[in-house]
């Protein structure tokens, strides 16, 4: 049996070879004023968000109720931009 | 004009021609290593030891089938060549360069030996080198250390689905890329969840890892293209807590050419192409898209088919209908892939029905249970009709559309039995929606939301049902892609 010296094995990288970019947290200057409540449209998600809205308003936050068209797909870019422009934070009800 | 000869040390015909080439001062390159070449020169008593064709660079450029090969070059370009021992041709070609070869009493004709570039291992290496040099392969190289076990190393680097994978060497990937007409840097699709660009090359790397036969690449490419279609909603399918995964149905003659199984144990073990095509797609989702179980993939249970599930439709003389892909627009005679988000299959047993109406009534009972009988219009399904059930439809002359229409009508239940709280079950229709408890409520949104395919072994009065995931425009729709452009 030939037991010659072992050699390194060269293989091709199966990944996209992309490094994830840095995504730093948005700068915070005290508690958020306006909070978006994002309904992804799963059953009973709205129950949770209704409760949250009451609690947040009691604490003096402004609340923007919003939703994405379907839970099965990522939120559309326009919706994400709108939330970013109008709100200081977002809470998403994931459901299940 | 100048002459260049290619030889190797273990070729008896090279041994016969070399002394004449040496005597005439022809430049000779050997495909063998230094010691082999020196030994041959010593054995033949040559005045000049042949040069070495390092990395077979010259041999690969002129790519002879056989050695000895005598090349006549005009400014580096080939003007003529002789392969093997052809006494008169050798003399004539040499004469064009002003060289007289003394071929003495050599036989007039003797075939040479295979060029080393024709050794499978060498040919594979050269193909890979050419692919890299020509920009066909551009992936970063990863080095698995000499003391590492490649199978453990690939697992440890998070590049596998948990099962061992075939190490994607440049040689294996280059060989697979020969099986598509597409350029390896063509974009097949952008893969969720992190929008990784899947080039033909990247798909081939993952298909090699999955263990795909090389010739299955066009099918994997079509499956990846389908998965990246917006209608398929791969991002949501990956991220869902539901157990569904992508199921690949291959319909058409190419499935047979690559040896896919459409008959006995079609969904089971034993067939390489069936077992690896779906796996290749899932490895693309993991490695190119970045979707990993327990992280981006939030499935509560998953199911075994998420390792990869592909099968071929049985389109022989027993088939009651044309293929699923053909019914969805792929031209007859071509091959298509239909990709659908589905949970694990399970059997529907009916060993009694011999009439299509009764069989549909029986199948309808089982289709009620997709997800839960209480959920309506939210889930599609795929029915995989087995040959013994298919025979009932074929002999009765029922088309696929008629079966779909019949099942659509039969998979209905009175609203009163589906309302929340009925039979003590909290899940169900909102009571305010139910104005007439006797009103029949359909299971599927339309007849064609129940996809019907045909495959399986000759014996067994069974069909299989796969429940779908969130369906239609708000979820994932089946996508059919022709394999043809990728061949």
């Amino acid at each position: 049996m030939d037991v010659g010296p072992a050699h390194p094995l060269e293989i091709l990288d199966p990944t996209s070879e992309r490094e994830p970019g840095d995504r730093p947290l948005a700068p915070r200057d005290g508690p958020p004023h306006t909070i978006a409540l994002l309904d992804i449209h799963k059953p009973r998600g709205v129950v949770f968000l209704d409760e949250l809205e009451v609690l947040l308003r009691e604490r003096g936050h402004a609340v923007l109720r919003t939703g994405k068209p379907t839970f099965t797909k990522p939120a559309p870019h326009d919706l994400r931009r709108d939330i970013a422009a109008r709100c200081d934070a977002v809470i998403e009800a994931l459901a299940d | 004009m100048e002459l260049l000869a290619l030889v190797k040390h273990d070729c008896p015909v090279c041994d016969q021609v070399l002394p004449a080439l040496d005597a005439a001062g022809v430049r000779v390159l050997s495909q063998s290593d230094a010691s082999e070449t020196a030994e041959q020169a010593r054995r033949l008593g040559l005045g000049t030891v042949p040069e070495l064709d390092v990395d077979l660079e010259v041999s690969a450029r002129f790519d002879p089938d056989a050695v000895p090969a005598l090349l006549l070059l005009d400014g580096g370009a080939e003007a003529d060549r002789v392969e093997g021992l052809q006494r008169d041709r050798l003399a004539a070609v040499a004469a064009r360069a002003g060289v007289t070869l003394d071929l003495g009493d050599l036989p007039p004709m003797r075939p040479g030996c295979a060029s080393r570039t024709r050794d499978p291992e060498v040919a594979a290496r050269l193909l890979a080198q050419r692919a890299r040099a020509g920009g066909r392969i551009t992936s970063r190289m990863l080095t698995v250390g000499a003391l590492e076990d490649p199978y453990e190393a690939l697992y440890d680097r998070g590049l596998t689905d948990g099962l061992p994978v075939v190490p994607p060497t440049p040689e294996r990937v280059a060989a697979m890329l020969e099986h598509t007409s597409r350029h390896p840097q063509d974009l097949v699709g952008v893969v969720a969840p992190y929008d990784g660009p899947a080039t033909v090359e990247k798909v081939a790397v993952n298909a090699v890892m999955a263990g795909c036969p090389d010739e299955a690449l066009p099918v994997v490419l079509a499956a990846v293209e389908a998965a990246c279609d917006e209608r398929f909603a791969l991002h949501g399918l990956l991220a869902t807590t539901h157990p569904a995964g992508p199921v690949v149905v291959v319909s058409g003659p190419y499935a047979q050419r690559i040896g896919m199984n459409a008959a006995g144990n079609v969904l089971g073990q034993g067939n390489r192409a069936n077992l690896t095509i779906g796996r290749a797609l899932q490895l693309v989702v993991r490695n190119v898209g970045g979707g990993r179980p327990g992280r981006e993939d939030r499935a509560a249970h998953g199911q075994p088919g998420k390792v990869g599930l592909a099968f071929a439709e049985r389109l022989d003389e027993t088939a009651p209908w044309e293929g699923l892909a053909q019914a969805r627009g792929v031209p007859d005679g071509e091959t298509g892939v239909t990709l659908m988000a589905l949970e694990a299959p399970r059997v529907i047993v009916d060993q009694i029905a011999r009439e299509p109406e009764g069989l549909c009534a029986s199948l309808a009972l089982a289709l009620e249970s997709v997800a839960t009988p209480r959920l309506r219009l939210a889930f599609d399904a795929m029915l995989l009709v087995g040959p013994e059930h298919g025979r009932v439809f074929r002999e009765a002359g029922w088309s696929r559309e008629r079966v779909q229409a019949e099942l659509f009508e039969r998979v209905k239940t009175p609203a009163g039995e589906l309302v929340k709280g009925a039979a003590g079950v909290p899940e169900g229709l909102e009571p305010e929606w139910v104005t007439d408890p006797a009103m029949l409520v359909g299971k599927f949104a339309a007849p064609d939301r129940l996809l019907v395919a045909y495959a399986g072994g000759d014996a067994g009065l069974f069909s299989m049902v796969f429940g779908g995931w969130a369906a239609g425009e708000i979820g994932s729709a089946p996508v059919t892609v022709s394999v043809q452009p990728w061949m």
Side-chain angles (χ1 to χ4, degrees):
Chain A
M1 182 177 152
D2 179 11
V3 284
H7 297 288
L9 178 68
E10 300 284 342
I11 58 171
L12 298 175
D13 187 341
T15 74
S16 67
E17 300 181 31
R18 296 199 311 183
E19 302 295 335
D22 286 338
R23 301 177 77 180
L25 292 173
R28 298 291 176 202
D29 184 17
H33 176 67
T34 305
I35 299 175
L37 296 179
L38 179 69
D39 184 357
I40 71 164
H41 284 122
K42 273 257 186 169
R44 296 178 64 80
V46 69
V47 177
F48 175 64
L49 292 176
D50 285 348
E51 292 291 323
L52 273 184
E53 180 173 0
V54 171
L55 294 171
L56 289 169
R57 287 194 188 282
E58 280 175 6
R59 295 177 189 191
H61 296 286
V63 170
L64 174 74
R65 294 296 291 264
T66 184
K68 63 178 194 169
T70 167
F71 63 87
T72 62
K73 296 177 185 178
H77 288 290
D78 285 352
L79 176 62
R80 286 188 246 176
R81 270 197 294 272
D82 186 49
I83 292 172
R86 296 170 62 190
C87 303
D88 306 306
V90 60
I91 297 173
E92 183 177 5
L94 281 178
D96 292 334
Chain B
M1 295 278 201
E2 55 183 343
L3 294 173
L4 176 66
L6 296 166
V7 299
K8 63 180 187 177
H9 78 287
D10 53 352
C11 164
V13 186
C14 296
D15 283 355
Q16 286 183 295
V17 175
L18 258 170
L21 297 172
D22 182 57
V26 174
R27 185 181 176 212
V28 180
L29 290 182
S30 172
Q31 298 179 332
S32 304
D33 68 23
S35 64
E36 292 163 343
T37 303
E39 189 279 327
Q40 183 182 34
R42 195 164 45 247
R43 173 162 46 82
L44 298 174
L46 303 183
T48 305
V49 177
E51 299 170 47
L52 302 184
D53 185 13
V54 178
D55 291 334
L56 298 179
E57 198 177 310
V58 176
S59 298
R61 175 145 49 97
F62 293 105
D63 201 24
D65 287 322
V67 290
L70 183 67
L71 301 160
L72 179 66
L73 304 178
D74 185 358
E78 180 178 338
D80 203 351
R81 75 163 70 186
V82 186
E83 295 186 14
L85 169 52
Q86 302 177 49
R87 196 177 59 198
D88 296 345
R89 281 269 299 137
L90 281 169
V93 167
R96 288 179 63 191
V99 173
T100 303
L101 283 185
D102 178 11
L103 296 166
D105 52 2
L106 290 181
M109 184 76 79
R110 198 174 170 200
C113 303
S115 166
R116 278 205 65 213
T117 51
R118 290 290 184 268
D119 289 356
E121 202 179 303
V122 175
R125 196 182 76 225
L126 291 171
L127 186 66
Q129 286 171 355
R130 279 201 298 273
R132 173 69 74 181
R136 288 170 59 79
I137 285 183
T138 64
S139 287
R140 173 168 61 192
M141 297 291 283
L142 303 177
T143 302
V144 178
L147 299 179
E148 286 186 280
D149 181 320
Y151 302 96
E152 299 293 345
L154 283 158
Y155 177 76
D156 290 344
R157 289 172 202 206
L159 300 173
T160 80
D161 50 16
L163 287 169
V165 293
V166 176
T169 59
E171 290 79 7
R172 291 188 177 116
V173 173
M176 182 176 277
L177 287 169
E178 294 294 296
H179 291 266
T180 177
S181 56
R182 289 298 180 93
H183 191 280
Q185 299 314 314
D186 274 1
L187 186 69
V188 184
V190 176
V191 188
Y194 295 118
D195 295 343
T199 58
V200 172
E201 177 194 358
K202 287 294 181 187
V203 175
V205 172
N206 283 281
V208 164
M209 290 171 67
C212 278
D214 289 348
E215 59 274 20
L217 179 62
V219 177
V220 179
L221 291 166
V224 172
E225 183 183 334
C228 295
D229 188 305
E230 204 170 307
R231 292 167 296 174
F232 190 67
L234 178 64
H235 190 127
L237 176 64
L238 175 82
T240 183
T241 49
H242 189 275
V247 175
V248 184
V249 185
V250 188
S251 314
Y254 199 66
Q256 277 67 52
R257 267 185 54 197
I258 64 174
M260 288 190 79
N261 182 20
N265 209 35
V266 63
L267 301 176
Q269 79 283 21
N271 181 279
R272 182 178 171 190
N274 286 37
L275 288 169
T276 55
I277 288 169
R279 188 186 184 206
L281 170 60
Q282 287 290 63
L283 283 173
V284 168
V285 172
R286 180 189 180 95
N287 287 326
V288 182
R292 294 153 295 179
R295 297 175 65 127
E296 295 79 10
D297 183 336
R298 307 305 300 176
H301 301 93
Q303 43 103 356
K306 286 183 71 178
V307 176
L309 208 172
F311 67 91
E313 271 201 287
R314 185 167 168 171
L315 300 178
D316 59 10
E317 66 286 352
T318 70
W321 315 290
E322 62 181 343
L324 178 61
Q326 288 69 28
R328 293 170 57 82
V330 170
D332 287 345
E334 293 191 10
T335 300
V337 159
T338 301
L339 193 70
M340 190 169 179
L342 295 168
E343 56 175 75
R346 66 181 179 78
V347 70
I348 308 174
V349 179
D350 187 309
Q351 302 185 309
I352 304 299
R354 295 292 184 274
E355 301 299 329
E357 293 85 355
L359 182 54
C360 279
S362 190
L363 296 172
L365 275 179
L367 288 165
E368 275 284 352
S369 71
V370 166
T372 164
R374 293 298 171 89
L375 288 177
R376 320 300 285 185
L377 313 182
F379 294 87
D380 295 346
M382 178 185 287
L383 178 68
L384 178 58
V385 175
E388 288 218 88
H389 281 172
R391 186 181 62 220
V392 173
F393 294 125
R394 189 183 72 244
E395 290 179 349
W398 278 36
S399 67
R400 172 188 270 112
E401 292 73 21
R402 183 159 180 195
V403 171
Q404 287 172 310
E406 185 80 11
L407 289 169
F408 176 73
E409 287 303 321
R410 287 182 179 273
V411 191
K412 288 184 174 175
T413 297
E417 297 176 24
L418 298 170
V419 72
K420 282 183 172 175
V425 177
E427 183 69 83
L429 305 181
E430 296 293 341
E432 58 265 33
W433 298 349
V434 180
T435 51
D436 174 8
M439 185 183 74
L440 294 175
V441 179
K443 176 75 180 176
F444 298 108
D448 63 2
R449 299 288 281 272
L450 174 66
L451 269 64
V452 179
Y454 174 76
D458 290 334
L461 285 146
F462 312 130
S463 290
M464 303 291 287
V465 60
F466 300 70
W469 180 55
E473 287 179 9
I474 64 126
S476 174
V479 175
T480 297
V481 167
S482 176
V483 173
Q484 217 69 20
W486 299 103
M487 289 162 59

